[in-house]
Every structure is written in structure tokens, then in C-alpha cells.
Amino acid sequence: MSLPILSILILLPLAGAAWILLAPGSDDARATNGRVTALAVTALELALGAGLWLNFDTSTAAFQFVEQVDLFAPFLSWHLGIDGIALMLIMLSVFLMPLCILASWTSIQKRVPEYMAAFLLMETLMLGVFAAQDLFLFYLFFEGGLIPMYLIIGIWGGARRIYASYKFFLYTLLGSVLMLLAMIYMTGVAHTTDIPTLLTFNFDPSVQTWLWLAFFASFAVKMPMWPVHTWLPDAHVEAPTAGSVILAGVLLKLGGYGFVRFSLPMFPLASLNLVWIVAVLSVVAVVYTSLVALVQTDMKKLIAYSSIAHMAFVTAGLFVFNTQGVEGGIVMMLSHGLVSGALFLCVGVIYDRLHTREIAAYGGLANTMPRYALFFLLFTMASIGLPATSGFVAEFLVLLGVFAGSTWLALGMTTGIILGAAYMLWLYRRVIFGTQDRADVLAMPDLNRRELAILLPIALAVLWMGIYPEPFLRPLRAPVANILARLHPVAPAPPHRIVPTLRILPALPTGPAQ
């Protein structure tokens, strides 16, 4: 493609946000302009993303669609490029954004232009994270994403929105201070801010551990990993529906992307030596947050805790250092982005009708809202990994990779699957089945055309990934093999006492996942 497609992809939402904020007219006219412009821009972004996917060469691990303009050399350059991993996460982002705009079409009535502009700014920053090839450009996009989400929660959120927005902002910002210091050190040692160059640079083994821990402090909070996860349930509960969708669907994936892009290939020795930290935290997160989810009375909070458990599958898969595990971890990010986003949308549908998220307020919706019950069932089954859904492909690959690394770790992760089935089926049972005698619940209408237009594309994507995952796996193979090539030549670390059977195999296959 001869066009600077990545720059267009990143800057187009920014231009749309500027137009929304500066357009003249009455309040009603500006609100209508904001909705229409945001939907048109995000739909165009989806078309541009599809163009990227169709023109992407899956046979190479090299970065493609590369653009570079020196802005403040040698400190910062507008250097963009994507590999297969970034491509898939960009596609997830541009797919969810127009659905978020549609989900907000009638539920947001206050300061509509500012709300739509915040979402477009969010899209610019998210896409910038995945496309950035300069260290400090990545950091600017990575941290800049805090601002629009902070505003979305703080202005359009629930009753405790101020507390939740401050907690979200402080947790994620403080976690990234150490990463910034590590980046400054890396630039001084390697004399470059170019990410592709840093991916092949061999940092001194004596400092790799400290660099790894500095990046870990940021990425662990972003995902979030236990025990720095407490900001997520509060943020989800108070955020508007579309805010929860984009938070769970994309923003949580920034931490996983950071592990794949930086921690594994740049600090291979430290990754091998400190794998026990990730293994222990992943198992604790899966079991603990699943048990907490079982006792929740708020639907949003239950799904928020389930997100933490699913993100633990991502970290477990990425840090077993084999093809199936790493590919499974990335596919889990994609699947979770679709499924958790859809579940939050399902909660938003009935919240808009009854204005409560309390599970006890519902029941018997299968009789009055059969189409809603069908979609909710599909996404519930995908969340617990039913075959023919995206969740099954992701969990199967992760468990296959984890079992090759540690049977004890695989046992712990499997426990999470069992508990996940328990809390999701228990949620579905209470909301959809049973009898209902409340007149307001019985009067709730089924899905309208706008809501069908939101949920149907996600349902088709979940089934597509579950039945024929090859189009999603093919772009991942070359970059995953490249990451593993950085790890395999390094002598494997001895098993740590806390995870006595964790073993790193030096000659694991790097071919297609079977």
C-alpha cells in the first residue's frame, strides 16, 4: 500500500474528535453531529483495518507498513510499523469501536460531543500503542490512553465515578514510572530508541532482571494481575457501558502486548529466571478472582473479576515459552476482547431498561426476551470455553502450552476453568431462567434493531474464531517464532522451588500449533 496507512489510521480519529468539538450549532445539532461523525469515523477505521489485514504478508516476522519521520531525533521519531501480533490487536480495536458508539447512541444524553470526542481520542492512542516503533512514542501513546478513559469514567460514570476514576488513573500511572526510568536507561546503553533495534540488542545479564521488573510493574497493573487488580472492578462498575467494553476489550490487552513486545524478546534471561513470579501470580489470580466472582451480586463486578481470571490465562500462556502457549495467550487476548465486551454490552441492554445491575432484580428473561437470552447464552458459553467458540480455541492452546511447561501450573489453570463455568452458569441461571412476578421486568422489551446490530457482529466473530481460527493464527506464527528464537538459545533457568516442576524446554517446536 503506497499510502501512509498507519498514520491515517492513527490521526483520522483525532481529526474526527477535533471536528466534533469545534463544529458550530445548537446543543441538539452538536449532539447529532457528534454521534454521526463518531460512527462514520470508526466505521472508516474498520474499513482501513480490513485493508491492512488483506494486504498483510503473514510469511514474515518483519514489521510492515513502516513509516519514519524524525521529529526530535535522537530522542523521538514518528516511527510506525506492525507485525502480525499488532495487526490482530489493531483489528480488535477498530472492530469494537463502532459498536461502542452504537451502544452509546441513546444511553448518553449529557455532553454528547465531548463523550464521542473522548472515544475517538481513545482510538487514536490505542492504535498508536500497537503501531509505535519508537520507545518514547510508545510510552506517550501508552500513558496517553489514561486521559480519555479517566474522563469517560469521571464524567459519564456512576455514583462513585470520581473515586473509581482517580483510583484507575493513579494505579496505572504510578505503575509506569519505573518503566519510564528503564526506558531512559535502555536508551543510554543502546544509543537508540528504535524498538526493532532494541529487540535484537543484548542487554547485560546483570541488569536484565531490573529492567524486566520495571516493565513488569507497568504491564502487571495494566492487565491487571493479582494483587494490583483492585482498580478494575471499581472502574468497570462505575464506567458507562461502552467504557467497560473498551476497557475490557482493548485497554487490558496493552499489558499483554507489552509482555510480548518488550519483556520476552528484550530481556530473555530475566524472563526465564523470573518465570516463577508470573506462574505463581497467574494461578493465584485464576483461583482467587474466580472464587470472588462466585459471590458477587452486581453483574458488572462479576464480569470484571472474570476478566482478571482470563488475563491470568494470558500471562500463563505467554510465559511457558512454547509456540502453543504464546499463540494461545495472544488468541486469549483476542477472544476475551470480544467475549467480555459482548457480556458488558448484554449487561448494558437490560440496565438501560431497568437501571439496576443487581442480579437478584432479574429472572425469567427467557420468557420475555428470548433473543436476548440466546445471545447471552452464546457469550456465556464462549466465556467458559465451549467448543466451537473463540474461548475454546484460546483456552485449549494455553493449556496445551502450559502442560508442556508444568503439570502443576496446568492443574491450577484448569481449576480456574471449572470455577469459571460455575460462576458464569450461575449468573445465567439467575438472570435468564426462573419465574418473575415484577411488572417492570415482565414489561422489558426484547432486543431492538440497534442492539441486534451491536451483538450480532460479535457473535459471528466469536463463532468464526471458534470454528475456523486459522485466519487469526496465521499472522501470529512468524512473530511468535521470532520471539521464541530469542529465548531458546539462552540456557534455561533452573526450576524455582515454589514451582518445582516448571521446566523450560530448550528445543520446543516453533511450527504451527496443532
Side-chain angles (χ1 to χ4, degrees):
M1 302 177 73
S2 57
L3 291 174
I5 186 67
L6 293 180
S7 291
I8 295 173
L9 200 68
I10 291 171
L11 298 178
L12 181 61
L14 191 62
W19 164 249
I20 289 173
L21 293 175
L22 299 176
S26 64
D27 289 345
D28 289 343
R30 294 184 70 242
T32 301
N33 173 69
R35 294 187 181 100
V36 173
T37 301
L39 183 59
V41 169
T42 52
L44 183 55
E45 289 283 281
L46 178 57
L48 291 172
L52 278 181
W53 198 357
L54 292 173
N55 288 274
F56 190 82
D57 181 6
T58 59
S59 64
T60 176
F63 289 97
Q64 302 175 42
F65 310 108
V66 175
E67 308 168 27
Q68 185 165 8
V69 178
D70 291 332
L71 297 177
F72 304 103
F75 305 105
L76 180 69
S77 67
W78 183 261
H79 186 188
L80 306 175
I82 60 171
D83 62 358
I85 299 170
L87 170 69
M88 288 291 96
L89 291 170
I90 285 175
M91 287 306 303
L92 176 65
S93 304
V94 298
F95 178 75
L96 290 177
M97 281 302 296
L99 304 180
C100 289
I101 301 302
L102 281 175
S104 308
W105 204 263
T106 58
S107 60
I108 300 298
Q109 298 293 330
K110 178 182 69 174
R111 306 181 72 171
V112 175
E114 289 82 1
Y115 178 88
M116 298 298 173
F119 262 88
L120 291 181
L121 177 59
M122 176 77 68
E123 185 168 25
T124 284
L125 297 170
M126 291 187 308
L127 299 180
V129 169
F130 301 132
Q133 295 295 289
D134 180 272
L135 202 60
F136 293 112
L137 184 65
F138 168 86
Y139 185 82
L140 290 176
F141 284 128
F142 188 81
E143 290 303 296
L146 294 175
I147 298 172
M149 182 53 70
Y150 168 79
L151 295 175
I152 289 168
I153 297 173
I155 297 175
W156 294 278
R160 300 177 70 244
R161 59 185 180 274
I162 302 301
Y163 167 78
S165 61
Y166 271 104
K167 190 174 183 180
F168 160 76
F169 188 87
L170 292 176
Y171 260 74
T172 51
L173 178 64
L174 293 176
S176 297
V177 172
L178 292 176
M179 182 175 74
L180 177 60
L181 296 175
M183 287 180 170
I184 295 172
Y185 174 84
M186 291 163 61
T187 303
V189 171
H191 305 292
T192 183
T193 61
D194 184 62
I195 290 177
T197 302
L198 291 169
L199 288 172
T200 60
F201 188 86
N202 295 315
F203 290 97
D204 191 299
S206 63
V207 299
Q208 277 196 34
T209 297
W210 299 108
L211 295 175
W212 189 93
L213 289 172
F215 277 80
F216 181 79
S218 177
F219 300 148
V221 172
K222 280 282 188 182
M223 293 201 68
M225 297 179 68
W226 183 89
V228 289
H229 66 284
T230 57
W231 63 267
L232 183 65
D234 292 320
H236 271 311
V237 167
E238 301 306 325
T241 297
S244 293
V245 172
I246 213 66
L247 178 61
V250 182
L251 291 185
L252 298 190
K253 312 305 178 289
L254 300 185
Y257 178 75
F259 283 133
V260 173
R261 180 63 71 230
F262 295 94
S263 300
L264 293 178
M266 291 188 186
F267 319 120
L269 268 176
S271 296
L272 291 167
N273 289 328
L274 300 175
V275 63
W276 62 273
I277 296 178
V278 178
V280 171
L281 294 183
S282 297
V283 172
V284 172
V286 164
V287 177
Y288 170 76
T289 57
S290 296
L291 291 173
V292 173
L294 273 170
V295 299
Q296 296 304 312
T297 59
D298 184 295
M299 284 186 282
K300 262 196 169 185
K301 189 166 283 191
L302 186 152
I303 299 170
Y305 278 107
S306 78
S307 293
I308 301 169
H310 282 93
M311 287 298 97
F313 272 85
V314 174
T315 51
L318 296 181
F319 280 86
V320 292
F321 314 124
N322 59 45
T323 303
Q324 290 79 13
V326 178
E327 287 184 1
I330 299 169
V331 173
M332 176 62 78
M333 288 195 281
L334 301 177
S335 173
H336 177 264
L338 295 172
V339 174
S340 67
L343 288 171
F344 279 117
L345 287 169
C346 286
V347 173
V349 165
I350 54 178
Y351 177 81
D352 290 342
R353 288 159 169 75
L354 205 61
H355 300 291
T356 179
R357 294 184 298 268
E358 288 298 313
I359 300 172
Y362 297 94
L365 295 188
N367 300 318
T368 57
M369 302 177 67
R371 287 181 294 186
Y372 174 82
L374 178 62
F375 279 103
F376 199 1
L377 177 64
L378 172 61
F379 301 131
T380 298
M381 293 298 104
S383 179
I384 64 179
L386 185 75
T389 66
S390 59
F392 173 78
V393 175
E395 290 181 358
F396 180 78
L397 283 172
V398 168
L399 288 177
L400 197 64
V402 167
F403 186 77
S406 168
T407 51
W408 286 108
L409 182 57
L411 178 62
M413 305 310 291
T414 306
T415 303
I417 293 178
I418 298 170
L419 292 173
Y423 62 70
M424 288 305 301
L425 293 175
W426 179 229
L427 169 66
Y428 191 82
R429 163 68 180 81
R430 289 178 287 173
V431 173
I432 301 299
F433 295 124
T435 58
Q436 180 60 256
D437 54 7
R438 287 182 51 174
D440 51 357
V441 178
L442 293 173
M444 288 168 55
D446 207 350
L447 298 176
N448 57 39
R449 286 183 295 178
R450 178 181 60 86
E451 291 162 342
L452 281 172
I454 295 170
L455 295 177
L456 184 59
I458 305 181
L460 294 176
V462 167
L463 292 172
W464 179 18
M465 188 182 295
I467 296 171
Y468 184 59
E470 178 62 17
F472 303 91
L473 288 168
R474 190 184 302 117
L476 305 179
R477 292 199 175 104
V480 167
N482 208 37
I483 292 170
L484 295 176
R486 287 282 293 168
L487 290 157
H488 288 164
V490 182
H496 195 274
R497 291 178 184 176
I498 296 181
V499 192
T501 62
L502 193 64
R503 53 190 184 275
I504 308 305
L505 307 180
L508 288 170
T510 58
Q514 299 299 321

